[in-house]
Amino acid sequence: MNVHATDPSALLGNLAEALATGAIEVVDLTHTLDQDFPVIVLPPEFGQCARFRMEEVSAYDHRGPAWKWHNFTCSEHTGTHFDAPSHWISGRDVPNGSVDEIPAERFIGPVCVIDCSEGAAADEDFELTPEVIEAWEAEHGRIPAESWVLMRTDWSKRRGAAYLNMREDGAHSPGPTPAAIRLLVDERGIRGFGTETVGTDAGQGSHYTPPYPAHFYLHGAGRYGLQCLNNLDRLPPTGAMLIATPLKIKNGTGSPLRVVALVPGRT
Amino acid sequence: MTDAILPPPKKDPQKRTRTQTLPSGLRSRAALGLTAAAAEGRFMLQVCGECGALQYPPRDACSTCLSTDLPWRDIDPAGELIAETTVRTSTNTYFRERTPWRVGTVRLDAGPSVMCHVHGDAPRGGRVRIINRLDKSGQGVLYALPPEGTPHMEDDPQLREITADPKFRRVLITDARSENAVALAEAFAKAGASIIFIGEPEGWRPYPHRAALEAIPNVQIVPLDVTDTASVTELAGEIGGKTDILVNNARFVRPGGIMDRGDTVFARDEMEVNYLGLMRLAQSFGPAMRGRGADGDNSAAAWVNILSVYAYSNMPAFGAFSASNAAAYSLSQCLRAEMRPGGVRVMNVYTGPTDDAWHQPLPPPKVAPAALARAIVSGLKDGLEDVFVGDVAKDLIERWRAGAKVLEREMSETDGGGA
Ligand SMILES: [Zn+2]
């Protein structure tokens, strides 16, 4: 395989060949859309995130003899999902702020994975700080502009009540500090930020200033969010390509989606 | 005294489940007045509005003066058992399967003599009291009981045919997360239910009283979310064949009507839980329950809906919630019609504002979970079809019966016209 090909057709041909041979592997970063998968829980007087629900319309029976299909309902923010800038009040006026307006080339890009799994195992309120980011960069190089940054915590391995980890004082799960997000957005110019938890912010993120700093700064700057990601432990720290294409919902603030990454094969 | 029933043996898997047969067909329209009274467990007869004569049996014109003004009134149930016999065979399949069956004639202190079924402990020639209840075909029938309680009198086989006593029965209560769940489970445990399944939605988030539920004898917490068809279908597949009493305790309550909300998000949740939740449960659990109405001492017996009394007349402060309950009320009538051939009672328990977070700013009186649970269990023991729990619900249904349009206008005042 000619890894130095510059002719676009040759590049795509090489990619196709690498996918076929397993030289490049596809990793699925998505949870199954499942009725029992947790969604974010807000105080009950607020509107809530709709759970994923499915109704059978027919199943090769009197309702439709040769076919099976379902109606499903959910929120734009149910399951593994994409947050567009218009999701947050800080991003309400950014250009191309809804999922249908985002140029398609923004859905594919390089990805850096910051492994916080040890910290999150020791501290359920583990914070991604500028120091953690700088320590990662000292090992793997500066985070390139226009890349996705994913915070790996292995939180996706949690099941049931341990996932939201709700207590009387709210949810407890890891996330970024305001300073960390500002570093990524303002100084590194990332395209988006993703997590394994139910939101891009920590479970206790409402207690930062500003509250929910990842949502506030990312979307205010026209950047994107990904949450409820899976299998981040199968990504290299750098060198993978993320493909995250939300549904083209008119004025949509987000969308459930299939997120995959292209990674160097193990062979 | 009555022989106490024993815990039913495990079902013989080689035996066909007995099909429900029914005691009798439809009666005259006048006689259905007795049925309407029986739905609430009231002993009522017609009293002539012109001459005051008490009528029995029900009729279209007064037996004394031919007046057609014959309103139904609550009647003193005391009387004397002047004749009684035990039927040992019958041409009717229902009774033939259930003989011996005691019947008799009671002379009411109020005047007329009435034909009735007779409890085993009612003394021949002695004082009795009459109750009016729905039989397995949903018709009002009169029963003579001993004037005071006797040991295990609720276990009398004839009486158990018209009640839905939780004793030795297996109960499914939906929505473990609801504040009512603990009181309901405790009441059913006390009433002798053999298993109390409690359906728990969203096990992925905690709720305060889970430990209290687990501590109640015979409770088994099972996954169930009435908004999720797959979860309802799955649980019905597992326990549908041994659900004898189903209490639909799932309610989605939010304040607000039409214009102060400005969207249909909560309204959709209200319909998903309060209306479609009932539909999903009925589609999944209904067929098995309807097929087990005559399945021995732990036959399927009753389906309980907890409804807002504002199903009858909208309370604008909870206007959208009221509307979803009106839909559920209408659906419960359909369920009743569909359950009737199986002899399974559909009991609606109507409540005014309940003592919970959503009604917290409302003034008393409010219905506490324990009062609701008591009303449900005693309604089942009495074999009722309609129960109005608390002063608000009782007052509202009285006003609705007096004049639905007048009540509608009263309800449009901000305080619900005293509700
Ligand atoms: Zn008369």
Side-chain angles (χ1 to χ4, degrees), chain A residues 35-39 41 44-48 51 53-55 160-161 164 166-167, chain B residues 202-206 208 225 227-231 254 265-266 268-269 272 280 358:
Chain A
Q35 287 90 329
D36 290 327
F37 192 81
V39 298
V41 174
E45 57 272 25
F46 289 128
Q48 301 293 321
R51 283 59 169 156
R53 290 290 182 264
M54 199 161 79
E55 302 286 346
L164 286 190
M166 295 277 288
R167 293 205 289 270
Chain B
E202 304 191 344
W204 47 265
R205 58 190 180 104
D225 189 322
T227 68
D228 175 11
T229 305
S231 119
R254 291 292 182 277
V265 176
F266 281 153
R268 185 178 284 263
D269 288 335
E272 277 292 337
R280 289 187 189 94
W358 295 109

Side-chain angles (χ1 to χ4, degrees), chain B residues 39-40 251 304-313 325-326 328-333 336 346-354 367 371-372 375-376 384-397 400-401:
Chain B
E40 291 176 69
R251 302 205 306 164
V304 182
N305 297 309
I306 301 173
L307 298 176
S308 167
V309 76
Y310 303 117
Y312 280 91
S313 192
N325 274 264
Y329 165 60
S330 181
L331 195 67
S332 76
Q333 295 176 313
R336 229 169 231 161
V346 175
M347 180 172 94
N348 286 345
V349 178
Y350 302 94
T351 173
T354 39
V367 175
L372 187 68
I376 288 171
L384 306 185
E385 209 169 69
D386 289 311
V387 174
F388 297 86
V389 54
D391 293 341
V392 173
K394 287 186 169 83
D395 171 68
L396 189 126
I397 192 62
W400 182 82
R401 282 170 181 156

Side-chain angles (χ1 to χ4, degrees), chain A residues 52-63:
Chain A
F52 177 74
R53 290 290 182 264
M54 199 161 79
E55 302 286 346
E56 192 176 272
V57 179
S58 73
Y60 334 111
D61 55 21
H62 65 285
R63 298 167 298 171

Side-chain angles (χ1 to χ4, degrees), chain A residues 68-153:
Chain A
K68 178 174 178 175
W69 51 352
H70 300 107
N71 290 342
F72 70 84
T73 53
C74 62
S75 165
E76 294 170 330
H77 301 267
T78 302
T80 301
H81 68 277
F82 183 102
D83 279 358
S86 65
H87 178 42
W88 215 250
I89 189 163
S90 55
R92 64 195 298 176
D93 296 322
V94 310
N96 300 328
S98 56
V99 281
D100 58 321
E101 296 169 330
I102 298 170
E105 65 270 16
R106 308 275 287 162
F107 299 139
I108 303 178
V111 57
C112 300
V113 180
I114 302 178
D115 184 0
C116 301
S117 58
E118 267 183 40
D123 176 6
E124 58 193 17
D125 294 310
F126 178 82
E127 293 178 316
L128 175 67
T129 60
E131 292 70 39
V132 174
I133 295 167
E134 281 153 7
W136 184 90
E137 287 184 324
E139 195 174 342
H140 303 288
R142 187 178 167 95
I143 294 168
E146 278 299 315
S147 58
W148 282 91
V149 172
L150 305 183
M151 177 180 175
R152 174 188 159 193
T153 52

Side-chain angles (χ1 to χ4, degrees), chain B residues 106-332:
Chain B
V106 168
R107 184 162 56 225
L108 293 169
D109 295 355
S113 292
V114 298
M115 299 280 297
C116 55
H117 304 284
V118 181
H119 189 279
D121 294 345
R124 178 193 299 237
R127 298 292 296 169
V128 293
R129 67 189 160 96
I130 295 288
I131 58 168
N132 176 28
R133 293 292 187 270
L134 297 171
D135 68 9
K136 280 282 183 189
S137 63
Q139 302 279 6
V141 289
L142 303 181
Y143 268 69
L145 301 183
E148 309 291 337
T150 58
H152 314 299
M153 74 176 285
E154 71 281 0
D155 289 354
D156 177 87
Q158 283 182 235
L159 193 56
R160 215 166 143 96
E161 279 293 303
I162 56 165
T163 64
D165 200 305
K167 186 174 176 181
F168 297 138
R169 285 201 162 100
R170 297 152 297 186
V171 183
L172 168 62
I173 300 168
T174 66
D175 199 0
R177 310 185 72 89
S178 140
E179 285 148 310
N180 296 329
V182 175
L184 284 169
E186 280 171 345
F188 277 101
K190 201 174 146 205
S194 58
I195 308 179
I196 303 162
F197 297 106
I198 309 212
E200 178 184 73
E202 304 191 344
W204 47 265
R205 58 190 180 104
Y207 55 101
H209 52 266
R210 194 178 202 279
L213 279 177
E214 285 177 311
I216 298 167
N218 305 333
V219 159
Q220 294 182 19
I221 298 178
V222 290
L224 175 68
D225 189 322
V226 302
T227 68
D228 175 11
T229 305
S231 119
V232 178
T233 308
E234 193 174 318
L235 186 67
E238 289 165 8
I239 67 163
K242 49 181 174 178
T243 300
D244 307 326
I245 295 174
L246 188 152
V247 181
N248 186 10
N249 173 49
R251 302 205 306 164
F252 187 93
V253 186
R254 291 292 182 277
I258 300 168
M259 286 181 255
D260 51 355
R261 284 194 180 172
D263 62 59
T264 60
V265 176
F266 281 153
R268 185 178 284 263
D269 288 335
E270 284 159 342
M271 294 303 278
E272 277 292 337
V273 177
N274 304 339
Y275 172 70
L276 290 172
L278 169 57
M279 177 89 86
R280 289 187 189 94
L281 287 167
Q283 286 178 338
S284 294
F285 284 87
M289 289 181 72
R290 186 170 63 178
R292 288 190 48 255
D295 193 18
D297 283 334
N298 52 6
S299 64
W303 181 291
V304 182
N305 297 309
I306 301 173
L307 298 176
S308 167
V309 76
Y310 303 117
Y312 280 91
S313 192
N314 194 286
M315 184 198 202
F318 285 78
F321 171 70
S322 300
S324 70
N325 274 264
Y329 165 60
S330 181
L331 195 67
S332 76

